[in-house]
Amino acid sequence: GGAGTAWGRCPSARLGHGRRLCRRWASARLARRQERRPRRGLRLGASPRRPWRRLGASAIMFRLAACGRQWHSAAALSAACAGGCLDRRRPGAAGGGGWAASWAEAEPERPYRPERSSGGSASRAVGAQAYAGLAPAKGMNHGPLRIFTGNAHPELACKIAAEMGVPLSNATVGRFKCGEVNVVINESVRDCDVFVIQPTDGGAGPQENFMELLIMLDAVRRGAANRVTAVMPVYGYARQNSKEQSRTPITARLAADLLSVAGADRVLTVELHASQIQGFASYPIDNMYALPLLAEEIQKCLEGRNLGPDDLVVVSPDVGGAKRASAFAKKLCAPLAIFSRQRRRSNESAEVDLVGEVKGKTCVVIDDIADSCETLCVAARKLKAQGASAVIGAVVHGVFSEPAVDNILKSDMEFVIVTDTIPLGDKALRCPKLRVVSVAPLLASAIERIHSSESLSALFEQLPKDAPR
């Protein structure tokens, strides 16, 4: 600066000018910090200078939400307090109607809408409504409901939507001429609670179905959906959930990572091959159990034959499924038998030993996945040789790769109960021994509870009476 300026007159003038600049910079920085982080507490009072009154962020949000308004900046809150709209007195306190009355006089009442947030803002907003004596809106914590489906199992998706009484949302899932998956979401999903129904098995194959699911999740996420849930009736690539030998992959962990990268905030599935797969992901994986549906069908068969739990034995075809068979036997109040495969000598084939008494009993062989059905057929033949009166198969996921249908027809099993988590196509028509039980009521009830932020534990034992059927 020149000689006539405050900067160039003397050192003391330059020092005073610098101090003023520092004070201005500090004030601006404090204002910006309060604008960005209003939760750290704001100095609010009727006077712009002292005396100040410091009010906690939680109390501010509670009182403003109870009055029907929500502020998002420190400036707006300061203006409200300076105008006397935010009083520290509670309703009914001495000295007037309190902050509620003063706020109603200052501003018209507007409905409370919690701001979308992935952290604690939503929980604080719900707490604000509870403080005001208002119940949070049921089912609107994550926006309106939207249900999409791919090409893997549209029949199951239609059943789920019909059980819930909502239409399927519009999406185009096709192919380019080169064979790549082409997905277009034909309606808005902004701030919506989206569920994408797509099993990995069935239809065009696990690779095509899984890739369709990943691309649909990415399309929905880029459409600014509030929450995206992948509904996988069959969680693909779950058989390799640990390293059985050297240089083998863990595909269950890989699938969990791919779902997270694609945009899934939550996964809903039925009967995981191994429960520890839930620990592979940092997001929730809700594992629903289809055993209550199978147990209900078995009980109907027993009632038709005038048999009781004492006439029944639940059989696990291998040691790995003993835990599942034990839970199934507990539901039916029946005893348990287990097949054990062991190789007594290195140059001999593995022998199958049966642990349990099955003579004169009706045996139910339970398994989670039936691919070629050789395990079920071998177990049925061994049980009949041990004197079992009848053998019934119960399977959650029926892959039924060829020649599974022929194996079932030639086996000693009277019939096989299977769910519709995987599309069966013409296999149910070709094999009269197949009895299909739908999981649509189970998944519909689970989706409704997730959307309305209710607990799923009631569905682990049996479907509630008010569940859609």
Side-chain angles (χ1 to χ4, degrees):
T5 62
W7 182 260
R9 279 195 294 265
C10 65
S12 61
R14 291 196 297 269
L15 181 60
H17 185 68
R19 288 174 177 174
R20 286 193 296 272
L21 290 179
C22 289
R23 284 197 296 268
R24 293 176 185 175
W25 175 81
S27 300
R29 182 183 180 188
L30 178 60
R32 288 195 302 269
R33 182 180 299 176
Q34 290 181 350
E35 186 74 16
R36 290 194 305 265
R37 303 174 63 182
R39 291 179 294 178
R40 294 182 63 87
L42 303 175
R43 291 184 175 181
L44 306 174
S47 173
R49 300 183 68 85
R50 289 168 178 72
W52 295 94
R53 289 185 301 178
R54 191 173 187 87
L55 193 60
S58 59
I60 293 171
M61 293 197 66
F62 283 168
R63 295 175 183 181
L64 292 181
C67 297
R69 292 294 300 270
Q70 182 180 14
W71 293 96
H72 307 284
S73 64
L77 286 172
S78 300
C81 289
C85 297
L86 187 63
D87 194 359
R88 294 178 68 92
R89 292 173 297 183
R90 293 179 176 269
W99 49 265
S102 59
W103 185 269
E105 295 174 0
E107 292 289 341
E109 185 176 357
R110 290 197 294 181
Y112 171 72
R113 297 187 182 94
E115 186 181 13
R116 175 192 170 190
S117 174
S118 60
S121 299
S123 61
R124 286 192 297 274
V126 174
Q129 278 191 324
Y131 182 89
L134 303 175
K138 181 179 179 181
M140 294 302 292
N141 295 337
H142 299 280
L145 178 65
R146 297 288 186 271
I147 299 178
F148 292 93
T149 181
N151 296 323
H153 204 345
E155 295 83 4
L156 178 60
C158 291
K159 290 180 181 179
I160 294 174
E163 293 282 351
M164 300 178 62
V166 297
L168 283 176
S169 300
N170 189 7
T172 302
V173 184
R175 298 290 187 277
F176 291 108
K177 290 185 178 181
C178 62
E180 293 181 357
V181 178
N182 178 27
V183 174
V184 178
I185 306 299
N186 297 323
E187 59 182 82
S188 176
V189 295
R190 183 175 298 276
D191 292 333
C192 292
D193 193 9
V194 181
F195 293 81
V196 182
I197 302 175
Q198 177 86 337
T200 55
D201 291 332
Q207 288 79 11
E208 292 286 332
N209 297 336
F210 193 56
M211 202 65 201
E212 272 189 13
L213 175 61
L214 296 178
I215 297 177
M216 290 186 71
L217 293 175
D218 183 76
V220 171
R221 177 180 62 88
R222 296 181 186 277
N226 198 340
R227 183 177 64 177
V228 184
T229 302
V231 182
M232 304 173 64
V234 182
Y235 189 95
Y237 297 95
R239 298 187 190 184
Q240 290 181 291
N241 53 66
S242 61
K243 292 195 67 172
E244 299 293 341
Q245 56 186 4
S246 300
R247 297 175 297 279
T248 57
I250 304 179
T251 56
R253 172 60 187 269
L254 176 61
D257 293 341
L258 290 174
L259 290 170
S260 176
V261 172
D265 301 312
R266 194 184 194 107
V267 171
L268 175 64
T269 186
V270 179
E271 288 291 344
L272 280 171
H273 186 64
S275 298
Q276 63 265 24
I277 295 176
Q278 293 173 295
F280 291 163
S282 58
Y283 52 85
I285 297 181
D286 298 314
N287 183 26
M288 308 307 299
Y289 299 103
L291 296 184
L293 299 176
L294 300 178
E296 184 178 350
E297 190 68 19
I298 292 294
Q299 289 175 352
K300 292 180 181 178
C301 297
L302 294 179
E303 292 175 358
R305 302 184 181 189
N306 295 325
L307 299 177
D310 296 336
D311 303 318
L312 187 68
V313 175
V314 176
V315 181
S316 174
D318 50 29
V319 178
K323 186 176 180 180
R324 182 180 301 104
S326 177
F328 194 62
K330 183 178 179 180
K331 292 182 182 299
L332 296 174
C333 301
L336 176 66
I338 301 173
F339 277 104
S340 175
R341 297 174 181 268
Q342 54 181 337
R343 190 186 303 272
R344 292 184 172 86
R345 297 179 180 85
S346 59
N347 58 350
E348 294 182 359
S349 60
E351 297 184 5
V352 180
D353 297 330
L354 178 63
V355 180
E357 182 62 35
V358 298
K359 186 175 182 180
K361 304 286 187 178
T362 299
C363 299
V364 178
V365 185
I366 179 71
D367 205 354
D368 63 331
I369 299 175
D371 196 347
S372 62
C373 291
E374 292 182 358
T375 303
L376 292 179
C377 295
V378 171
R381 184 170 63 252
K382 293 286 185 180
L383 291 172
K384 293 294 287 186
Q386 293 287 336
S389 60
V391 179
I392 300 173
V395 178
V396 178
H397 307 298
V399 180
F400 296 148
S401 303
E402 294 298 336
V405 174
D406 295 335
N407 291 337
I408 294 175
L409 290 175
K410 297 176 183 178
S411 69
D412 294 324
M413 292 183 291
E414 293 189 3
F415 56 88
V416 177
I417 302 174
V418 63
T419 66
D420 59 347
T421 55
I422 299 176
L424 298 178
D426 61 341
K427 298 173 184 177
L429 300 177
R430 291 165 48 198
C431 184
K433 288 187 176 183
L434 292 180
R435 296 188 182 183
V436 182
V437 178
S438 180
V439 295
L442 175 65
L443 291 177
S445 183
I447 291 175
E448 287 182 347
R449 287 173 174 265
I450 292 174
H451 177 61
S452 58
S453 300
E454 298 181 28
S455 175
L456 296 176
S457 58
L459 303 178
F460 293 159
E461 297 297 331
Q462 60 182 3
L463 284 175
K465 296 181 179 179
D466 57 344
R469 286 183 180 271

